[in-house]
């Protein structure tokens, strides 16, 4: 048996309405149709507390032949070569970088957000995150913004 991931796939009809509205509110924010969380939750008829309680735990499942999309967020040292090493690991895995954003370093540590597309034959998201986290100068790696199953 495989390792327990803590994820379930359920039909939309089995998902509580509040969770569907959280997904819809996230879509409104991502699309730019609304500018604030207040506007998004008001349009969906849910509370801000419900939005914040569930926003990181519910994602719409995308079944696509183009692979799996997800975002890695990293904390890493602001030192020559660390970002280059991270990007090399991503390239070697066969993943495609869709977006990348690095914050201005504070106290020698930068935050990096990389949105990726992993094709079926390339490494899994969890393997990729683990490989990056083992790299010198990388403190923390989290997988977020899943577009599909990442195992």
């Amino acid at each position: 048996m495989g390792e327990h991931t803590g994820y379930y796939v359920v039909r939309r009809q089995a998902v509580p309405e509040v969770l569907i509205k959280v997904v819809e509110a996230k879509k409104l924010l991502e699309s730019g149709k609304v500018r604030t969380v207040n506007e998004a939750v008001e349009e969906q008829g849910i509370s801000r507390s419900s939005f914040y309680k569930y926003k990181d735990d519910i994602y719409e499942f995308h079944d696509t032949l183009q692979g799996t999309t997800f975002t890695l967020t990293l904390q890493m040292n602001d030192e020559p070569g660390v970002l280059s090493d991270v990007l090399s690991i991503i390239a070697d895995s066969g993943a495609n970088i869709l977006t990348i954003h690095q914050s201005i370093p504070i106290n020698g540590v930068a935050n990096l957000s990389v949105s990726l597309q992993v094709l079926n034959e390339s490494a899994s998201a969890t393997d990729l995150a683990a490989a990056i986290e083992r790299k010198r100068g990388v403190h923390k790696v989290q997988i977020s913004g899943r577009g599909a199953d990442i195992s």
Side-chain angles (χ1 to χ4, degrees), residues 23-25 30 42-43 55 63 78 90 94 97-98 103 108 111 115 123 125-126 132 136 145 147-148:
V23 170
E24 294 303 317
E30 290 168 4
E42 188 174 297
E43 188 166 319
K55 73 176 183 67
D63 190 6
D78 179 36
I90 293 169
I97 295 175
L98 302 173
S103 68
N111 290 310
S115 295
T126 52
I132 291 171
R136 177 199 57 79

Side-chain angles (χ1 to χ4, degrees), residues 3-118:
E3 203 174 290
H4 179 63
T5 63
Y7 293 94
Y8 299 89
V9 176
V10 297
R11 292 186 191 279
R12 181 182 174 110
Q13 65 200 34
V15 176
E17 185 178 356
V18 67
L19 297 179
I20 293 170
K21 289 183 175 188
V22 168
V23 170
E24 294 303 317
K26 287 170 50 173
K27 284 182 190 177
L28 289 171
L29 288 163
E30 290 168 4
S31 70
K33 291 181 181 175
V34 297
R35 293 176 30 171
T36 67
V37 170
N38 278 343
E39 291 173 318
V41 298
E42 188 174 297
E43 188 166 319
Q44 290 302 312
I46 58 174
S47 67
R48 284 172 45 94
S49 61
S50 292
F51 177 81
Y52 284 112
K53 181 177 182 178
Y54 299 117
K55 73 176 183 67
D56 294 328
D57 294 320
I58 180 110
Y59 302 92
E60 190 169 27
F61 180 78
H62 296 281
D63 190 6
T64 174
L65 296 176
Q66 295 180 345
T68 301
T69 58
F70 60 93
T71 300
L72 292 178
T73 54
L74 300 86
Q75 289 181 342
M76 59 189 202
N77 291 345
D78 179 36
E79 299 173 353
V82 177
L83 177 57
S84 176
D85 289 347
V86 168
L87 296 177
S88 292
I89 292 168
I90 293 169
D92 291 345
S93 77
N96 181 39
I97 295 175
L98 302 173
T99 65
I100 185 168
H101 174 76
Q102 181 177 328
S103 68
I104 295 173
I106 298 173
N107 295 327
V109 177
N111 290 310
L112 181 73
S113 173
V114 185
S115 295
L116 303 169
Q117 181 180 55
V118 176

